[in-house]
């Protein structure tokens, strides 16, 4: 009995930190509608700063708590700077741009933290005065855990008072419902957004700072917390602080008990809970359907068929590509395979987002399932390369069929979050199920067949599969099915009114996009000779998003530009020190200077140079 | 007071307004009539700075407000009451009013909570209730009261009589008369010709994004073919 109670208390202590970071994320989302990936970075930087200040001050109880607050306050100021210099410029951009921009901030923070604090994990001091354990029902409970258990509800009460007893809080709550209307009532949104961002960053910093007596401060803190924080926000309902509290407690306590029964579950449990909650309550426990009046957004530009000239340019590029192995070195062919894989992956993601209107944060799931299916068929079932290549995409399709059925029941950010949950569940299973998938060690020795083993021959295999896949997706995009999907994207109600089964079409669109991502994964697996759980990871999903957004979501050629640029930049940048910093910087520059992506930027450039011609690439 | 000339507005590719011109004088109540989708709301949103893609001139008290953000336009003394009410459902009546509150201005009447609760007695009884718990008519009253909390000089009222019970429509007419008595200028968008005639001094009719009638109600009554052509009577 005592043991279970102790487990409950551990769960509650974990819930406090999770609540702090998630409430900040929720407030920021509620007011600004920004899905802030950099929130995990705020958490991490809060921990590092607290470590530095605590060790520098070394000032007993008072010094400890002062350091915690100071660290959180500095993070609040950092949040303010980021809001004013970056986010303020992109509030009107599509939400994906904002997501990618905040991911650029994540990369910059990772390297900045590495440069300042080094790669070693740092072990903080225990909290003075709370460094022992008390016995409760015979079990030792750290005093600091008890303090954390008290801090969570105290912060919740503080936020409640702020939101209900101050004019600022009332404005924040109003803006969470309808920020455009708040503006029309004379409230300067820029100021409100900055303040919300500062508060959110402060809370994340506080959450991180409070962790130092409990866990080592490390460079992995940012991305390890962000997935869970998203889940908590989504379960609680985006924008709801009390929802975040309930969800944090739910997840942490469930986790504390579930690991007793099934220790591996902790990686996937939050995502499973989230999937279940979203299916039962599409807007989370305390969430409301988002206001329709988040701003007068323009409807998406329709996709244009390519002009004859740009078709010619593209054909010429394909021809050059086709003959490239004859004139280039092997390593160029290998790089070009990477480019083609990335392009097919990006085009399939673009199909889902640009044509289907479904934003996915977890497209890597289908890429990874394709790759793993092929690898396992070859390794465990003794399949040849070609049969494995042909069959594996069907596994990706099956995964998309399964997860897509749930996802298309939601829309917008919730749909995106559920796609991420799906990907994380698959990732967790792959990672944990050592016996079946090889776990962290991956599956090695997935080489092409004997006759295809030269880099040049494999280049042509990749060429046929990837270009074939891209061609297929473009055909589908311009088929009646593709037009119906776009109709649903532009107006679900209108499509429903004329009798279209919108869910079914979206579901099928999801499956098409997933299968082709799977095909990209298959080509990838054989080109690398191995597969690892990263192929299903968040980073892979985000790479896809960056490619699509670099290219520009409105143009069919966008993902092609984006993927090529991405692979080239990555290939060059990753050779440098602090490449994350540079890469994050490049992302921010593109997002701030060319909010319509490279394709849009090229279009504008062409129009600027040749004013009497219509833009080229579309 | 307000001068709109040759206003064009679009959402994405769809051109909605094609050269709308209208004016509103000091302490005048003017109706903008037109069928569903004619462009009345878009005109009001454009004045309020809530439609980004627009060209033309919008002059308020001699100053151009085209391209200004809506909070600046509000602070200059323009109140906006949207058509779909857009009250904050999770906030209480008092909190809704608090969002609209702005400092008193020298050149406009001041609306205190007491005064507003006098004008809208229903709201007074429900001041602790959440916005979403109010009836449609009460919500309509709340949007107007919320805008008046900003002590505006000029009010844009988008379809105040839409979807509310006849008794409340009558109450609404009294409120508009009270606004005029207090010295405000009011631009009303309406589909209901009878209501518009009851409360306003003169009228414009908008059709397909252009003004196609500008004159008195008397003239409209003498020429029923105009209303038959442009309004769903
Ligand atoms: N946010 C928007 N995006 C795209 N089109 C819009 C948007 N808002 C309005 N429209 C279109 O603009 C046109 C004019 O709309 P508006 O709301 O101005 O008409 P209205 O005269 O106010 O009509 P109603 O009497 O129905 O309120 C309509 O065809 C409408 O479909
Ligand atoms: Mg209207």
């Amino acid at each position: 009995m005592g043991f279970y109670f102790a487990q409950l208390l551990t769960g509650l202590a974990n819930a406090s930190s999770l609540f702090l970071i998630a409430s900040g994320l929720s407030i920021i989302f509620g007011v600004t509608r920004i899905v802030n990936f950099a929130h995990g970075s705020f958490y991490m930087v809060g921990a590092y700063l607290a470590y530095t200040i605590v060790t520098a001050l070394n000032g007993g109880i008072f010094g400890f708590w002062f350091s915690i607050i100071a660290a959180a306050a500095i993070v609040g100021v950092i949040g303010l700077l980021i809001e004013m210099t970056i986010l303020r410029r992109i509030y009107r951009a599509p939400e994906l741009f904002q997501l990618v921009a905040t991911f650029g901030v994540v990369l910059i923070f990772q390297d900045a933290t590495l440069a300042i604090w080094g790669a070693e994990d740092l072990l903080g001091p225990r909290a003075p005065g709370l460094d022992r354990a008390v016995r409760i029902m015979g079990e030792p409970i750290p005093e600091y855990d008890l303090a954390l258990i008290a801090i969570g509800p105290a912060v919740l009460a503080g936020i409640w008072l702020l939101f209900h007893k101050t004019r600022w809080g009332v404005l924040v709550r109003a803006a969470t419902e309808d920020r455009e209307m708040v503006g029309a009532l004379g409230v300067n949104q820029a100021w409100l957004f900055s303040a919300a961002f500062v508060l959110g960053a402060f809370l994340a910093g506080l959450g991180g700072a409070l962790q130092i007596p409990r866990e080592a401060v490390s460079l992995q803190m940012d991305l390890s917390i962000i997935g869970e924080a998203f889940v908590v926000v989504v379960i609680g309902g985006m924008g709801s602080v009390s929802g975040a509290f309930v969800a944090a407690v739910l997840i942490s306590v469930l986790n504390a008990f579930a690991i007793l029964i099934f220790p591996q579950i902790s990686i996937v449990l939050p995502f499973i809970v989230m999937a279940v909650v979203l299916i039962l309550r599409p807007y989370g426990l305390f969430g409301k359907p988002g206001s329709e009046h988040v701003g007068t957004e323009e409807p998406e530009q329709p996709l244009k068929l390519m002009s004859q000239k740009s078709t010619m340019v593209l054909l010429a590029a394909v021809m050059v590509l086709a003959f490239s192995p004859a004139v280039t070195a092997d390593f160029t062919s290998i790089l070009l395979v990477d480019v083609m894989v990335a392009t097919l992956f990006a085009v399939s993601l673009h199909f889902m987002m640009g044509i289907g209107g479904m934003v996915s944060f977890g497209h890597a799931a289908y890429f990874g399932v394709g790759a793993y299916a092929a690898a396992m068929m070859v390794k465990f079932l003794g399949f040849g390369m070609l049969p494995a290549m042909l069959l594996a995409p069907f596994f990706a399709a099956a995964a998309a069929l399964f997860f897509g059925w749930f996802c298309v029941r939601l829309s917008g950010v919730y749909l995106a979050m559920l796609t991420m949950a799906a990907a994380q569940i698959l990732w967790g299973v792959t990672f944990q199920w050592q016996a079946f998938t090889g776990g962290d060690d991956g599956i090695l020795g997935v080489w092409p067949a004997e006759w295809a083993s030269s880099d040049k021959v494999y280049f042509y295999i990749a060429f046929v599969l990837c270009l074939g896949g891209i061609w297929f997706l473009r055909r589908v995009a311009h088929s009646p099915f593709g037009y119906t999907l776009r109709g649903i994207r532009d107006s679900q109600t209108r499509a429903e009114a004329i009798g279209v089964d919108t869910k079914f079409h979206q579901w099928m669109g999801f499956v098409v996009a997933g299968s082709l991502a799977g095909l990209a994964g298959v080509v990838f697996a054989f080109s690398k000779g191995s597969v690892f759980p990263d192929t299903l990871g968040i980073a892979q999903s985000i790479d896809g998003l960056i490619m699509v957004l670099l290219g520009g979501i409105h143009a069919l050629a966008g993902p092609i530009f984006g993927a090529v640029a991405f692979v080239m930049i990555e290939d060059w940048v990753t050779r440098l020190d602090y490449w994350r910093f540079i890469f994050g910087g490049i992302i921010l520059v593109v997002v701030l200077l060319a909010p319509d992506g490279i394709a849009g930027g090229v279009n504008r450039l062409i129009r600027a140079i040749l004013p009497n011609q219509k833009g080229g690439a579309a | 007071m307000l001068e709109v000339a040759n206003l064009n507005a679009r959402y994405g590719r769809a051109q909605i307004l094609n050269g709308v011109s209208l004016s509103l004088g000091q302490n005048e109540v003017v109706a903008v009539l037109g069928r569903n989708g004619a462009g009345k709301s878009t005109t009001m949103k454009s004045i309020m700075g809530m439609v980004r893609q627009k060209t033309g001139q919008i002059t308020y008290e001699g100053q151009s407000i085209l391209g200004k953000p809506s909070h600046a336009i509000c602070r200059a003394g323009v109140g906006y009451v949207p058509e779909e009410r857009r009250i904050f459902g999770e906030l209480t009546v008092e909190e809704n009013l608090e969002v609209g509150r702005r400092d008193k201005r020298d050149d406009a009447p001041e609306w205190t909570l007491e005064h507003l609760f006098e004008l809208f007695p229903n709201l007074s009884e429900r001041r602790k209730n959440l916005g979403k718990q109010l009836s449609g008519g009460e919500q309509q009253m709340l949007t107007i009261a919320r805008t008046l909390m900003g002590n505006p000089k000029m009010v844009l009222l988008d379809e105040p009589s839409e979807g509310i019970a006849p008794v409340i429509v009558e109450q609404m007419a009294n409120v508009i008369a009270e606004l005029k008595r207090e010295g405000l200028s009011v631009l009303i968008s309406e589909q209901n010709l009878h209501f518009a005639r009851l409360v306003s001094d003169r009228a414009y009719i908008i059709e397909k994004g252009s003004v196609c009638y500008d004159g008195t109600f008397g003239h409209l009554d003498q020429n029923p073919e105009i209303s038959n052509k442009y309004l769903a009577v």
Side-chain angles (χ1 to χ4, degrees):
Chain A
M1 191 59 219
F3 173 72
Y4 292 107
F5 189 67
Q7 209 60 24
L8 174 69
L9 291 181
T10 310
L12 290 176
N14 290 339
S16 270
S17 280
L18 196 53
F19 162 65
L20 288 181
I21 172 166
S23 62
L25 194 59
S26 202
I27 292 169
I28 290 176
F29 177 83
V31 179
T32 68
R33 298 285 139 174
I34 284 200
V35 176
N36 179 29
F37 242 94
H39 214 66
S41 308
F42 293 156
Y43 171 82
M44 175 176 74
V45 171
Y48 273 104
L49 283 170
Y51 171 85
T52 301
I53 303 174
V54 167
T55 35
L57 276 183
N58 200 6
I61 297 180
F62 177 78
F64 176 82
W65 292 103
F66 171 82
S67 310
I68 300 288
I69 303 289
I74 296 174
V75 175
V77 174
I78 295 173
L80 178 67
L81 293 178
I82 290 175
E83 198 277 337
M84 290 195 341
T85 52
I86 300 167
L87 299 179
R88 185 165 292 184
R89 295 161 202 273
I90 52 171
Y91 280 127
R92 287 191 173 274
E95 59 193 4
L96 278 173
F97 253 84
Q98 301 163 348
L99 182 90
V100 167
T102 60
F103 192 72
V105 174
V106 169
L107 293 175
I108 290 176
F109 267 94
Q110 280 181 341
D111 271 353
T113 316
L114 174 66
I116 297 172
W117 282 285
E120 295 282 312
D121 289 3
L122 304 174
L123 215 48
R126 286 167 174 254
L130 293 172
D131 48 2
R132 279 163 309 158
V134 288
R135 289 214 166 255
I136 298 180
M137 295 167 86
E139 296 285 329
I141 310 286
E143 287 173 340
Y144 191 69
D145 277 11
L146 295 178
L148 282 183
I149 293 173
I151 288 172
V155 171
L156 177 62
I159 297 176
W160 191 90
L161 286 176
L162 188 65
F163 277 13
H164 287 84
K165 300 294 169 200
T166 68
R167 172 172 167 84
W168 181 79
V170 172
L171 294 180
V172 165
R173 282 162 55 222
T176 304
E177 282 189 54
D178 188 344
R179 56 184 165 147
E180 192 195 32
M181 193 62 226
V182 172
L185 290 169
V187 177
N188 185 352
Q189 295 189 31
W191 173 78
L192 199 61
F193 286 12
S194 302
F197 214 82
V198 171
L199 177 63
F202 174 86
L203 289 169
L206 185 63
L210 285 170
Q211 280 305 90
I212 56 166
R214 301 184 92 210
E215 63 170 309
V217 185
S218 78
L219 291 170
Q220 282 78 49
M221 285 176 86
D222 55 350
L223 288 184
S224 66
I225 193 80
I226 191 70
E228 215 170 324
F230 272 159
V231 168
V232 168
V233 170
V234 170
I235 291 178
M238 310 221 33
S240 165
V241 175
S242 29
F245 185 79
V246 173
V249 169
L250 180 73
I251 291 275
S252 304
V253 171
L254 267 182
N255 196 39
F257 288 106
I259 53 171
L260 299 178
I261 305 161
F262 190 46
Q264 284 92 353
I265 198 147
S266 61
I267 293 187
V268 293
L269 181 83
F271 296 96
I272 293 175
V273 176
M274 164 167 151
V276 171
V277 168
L278 283 189
I279 291 158
L280 298 178
R281 292 189 59 97
Y283 299 102
L285 294 176
F286 293 76
K288 314 274 167 339
S291 147
E292 317 245 301
H293 308 286
V294 286
T296 32
E297 303 296 337
E298 283 93 73
E300 308 247 352
Q301 301 268 327
L303 289 167
K304 286 166 279 183
L305 271 169
M306 296 231 295
S307 70
Q308 221 160 0
K309 202 160 55 170
S310 36
T311 313
M312 299 289 278
V313 172
L314 204 66
L315 271 182
V318 169
M319 294 298 272
V320 171
L321 186 64
F323 289 109
S324 69
V327 291
T328 58
D330 276 356
F331 70 83
T332 315
S333 296
I334 295 175
L335 180 65
L336 287 175
V337 171
D338 286 351
V339 169
M340 291 188 292
V341 167
T343 307
L344 176 56
F345 181 56
V347 171
S348 74
L349 178 57
H350 177 264
F351 180 85
M352 178 136 154
M353 301 194 328
I355 314 280
M358 297 173 284
V359 175
S360 171
F361 291 174
H363 204 52
Y366 312 103
F367 181 84
V369 167
Y372 265 93
M376 289 159 108
M377 274 188 260
V378 170
K379 288 296 280 190
F380 304 143
L381 301 179
F383 272 53
M385 177 185 77
L386 284 183
M389 277 182 161
L390 293 180
L391 278 178
F394 289 98
F395 285 85
L401 203 63
F402 178 73
F403 289 116
W405 188 86
F406 297 104
C407 292
V408 299
R409 256 131 260 277
L410 307 178
S411 58
V413 179
Y414 286 92
L415 187 155
M417 292 294 176
L418 194 55
T419 58
M420 185 173 92
Q424 281 305 99
I425 291 171
L426 283 173
W427 177 82
V429 169
T430 315
F431 193 82
Q432 298 278 5
W433 201 356
Q434 188 95 24
F436 186 54
T437 62
D440 204 12
D441 301 329
I443 300 176
L444 306 177
V446 189
W447 295 113
E450 191 69 43
W451 57 271
S453 59
S454 105
D455 288 332
K456 308 246 179 215
V457 175
Y458 194 73
F459 171 89
Y460 282 108
I461 294 176
F463 182 84
V464 170
L465 290 179
C466 292
L467 269 69
I470 293 167
W471 175 82
F472 173 73
L473 280 173
R474 298 192 62 121
R475 285 304 298 260
V476 176
H478 288 294
S479 70
F481 174 71
Y483 285 107
T484 311
L485 268 185
R486 264 176 263 171
I488 297 168
R489 175 198 71 190
D490 292 338
S491 172
Q492 182 130 6
T493 36
R494 212 179 311 150
E496 262 158 22
I498 58 170
V500 175
D501 184 347
T502 59
K503 293 268 170 292
F504 182 77
H505 277 82
Q506 290 186 313
W507 188 27
M508 288 304 117
F510 200 107
V511 172
V512 168
S515 334
L516 274 295
L519 181 62
V522 173
V523 178
F524 173 83
F526 283 105
S527 82
K528 300 293 172 207
S530 55
V531 288
F532 295 99
D534 320 351
T535 52
L536 301 131
I538 289 187
Q540 172 76 20
S541 294
I542 293 200
D543 283 356
L545 287 172
I546 294 175
M547 292 176 213
V548 169
L549 292 165
L550 279 181
I553 187 109
H554 294 312
L556 270 180
I560 301 179
F561 276 108
V564 173
F566 181 89
V567 176
M568 294 299 181
I569 295 173
E570 194 185 38
D571 181 63
W572 164 66
V573 159
T574 44
R575 295 177 204 164
L576 309 174
D577 286 341
Y578 295 113
W579 66 270
R580 287 188 190 84
F581 194 96
I582 299 169
F583 201 61
I586 293 174
I587 291 175
L588 288 185
V589 168
V590 171
V591 168
L592 294 180
L593 294 187
D596 43 359
I598 295 177
V602 169
N603 249 333
R604 267 183 294 141
L605 199 69
I606 292 173
R607 248 173 292 155
I609 298 170
L610 307 166
N612 50 356
Q613 281 193 304
K614 291 236 167 102
Chain B
M1 184 109 239
L2 178 77
E3 201 70 52
V4 174
N6 201 16
L7 179 67
N8 299 297
R10 54 165 66 240
Y11 292 115
R13 299 203 154 184
Q15 177 93 26
I16 307 294
L17 299 185
N18 305 294
V20 167
S21 299
L22 52 83
S23 68
L24 175 67
Q26 185 79 41
N27 201 13
E28 212 184 4
V29 177
V30 172
V32 176
L33 304 168
R35 269 197 282 258
N36 275 328
K40 307 179 295 290
S41 300
T42 305
T43 304
M44 296 207 157
K45 286 186 181 169
S46 302
I47 296 170
M48 204 56 209
M50 296 162 86
V51 176
R52 276 202 299 155
Q53 293 173 293
K54 55 185 185 291
T55 58
Q57 286 101 46
I58 306 177
T59 319
Y60 168 70
E61 297 200 303
Q63 304 249 323
S64 169
I65 54 168
L66 188 98
K68 289 239 172 81
S70 38
H71 69 89
I73 295 170
C74 172
R75 288 173 184 192
V78 183
Y80 168 65
V81 180
E83 67 183 326
E84 319 90 331
R85 301 186 185 128
R86 295 172 72 166
I87 50 131
F88 305 110
E90 301 297 319
L91 272 55
T92 63
V93 167
E94 280 180 344
E95 286 172 334
N96 267 279
L97 296 175
E98 172 63 24
V99 175
R101 182 172 64 81
R102 305 224 60 85
D103 292 340
K104 170 180 168 17
R105 333 166 43 95
D106 297 333
D107 52 358
E110 186 184 10
W111 298 85
T112 58
L113 269 184
E114 293 71 53
H115 187 176
L116 284 172
F117 282 146
E118 226 166 81
L119 198 58
F120 304 106
N122 296 21
L123 293 184
S124 168
E125 289 160 27
R126 317 211 54 177
R127 56 175 84 189
K128 297 289 180 203
N129 284 91
L130 293 184
K132 66 180 177 191
Q133 297 166 331
L134 304 187
S135 71
E138 287 167 340
Q139 292 188 345
Q140 188 68 286
M141 297 294 171
L142 180 57
T143 43
I144 297 180
R146 183 179 66 181
T147 298
L148 292 177
M149 284 295 285
N151 302 319
K153 277 200 291 195
M154 174 181 114
V155 177
L156 309 172
L157 268 181
D158 201 349
E159 299 212 33
S161 74
E162 192 194 15
I164 52 177
V167 251
I168 315 228
V169 172
E170 211 170 289
Q171 213 179 327
M172 191 66 70
N174 292 335
V175 168
I176 294 167
E178 168 79 5
L179 297 187
K180 186 170 164 84
R181 255 198 311 283
E182 290 277 356
L184 299 187
S185 318
V186 184
L187 191 66
I188 301 182
S189 120
E190 261 309 325
Q191 291 202 48
N192 180 338
L193 181 59
H194 305 290
F195 180 77
R197 188 193 291 111
L198 198 64
V199 297
S200 27
D201 304 324
R202 60 190 176 87
Y204 293 97
I205 298 178
I206 292 191
E207 169 73 7
K208 297 206 178 103
S210 316
V211 172
C212 59
Y213 176 82
D214 167 7
T216 60
F217 283 96
H219 186 254
L220 266 185
D221 291 340
Q222 282 153 23
N223 299 276
E225 70 281 0
I226 304 179
S227 344
N228 288 340
K229 187 166 172 202
Y230 296 119
L231 302 173
V233 220

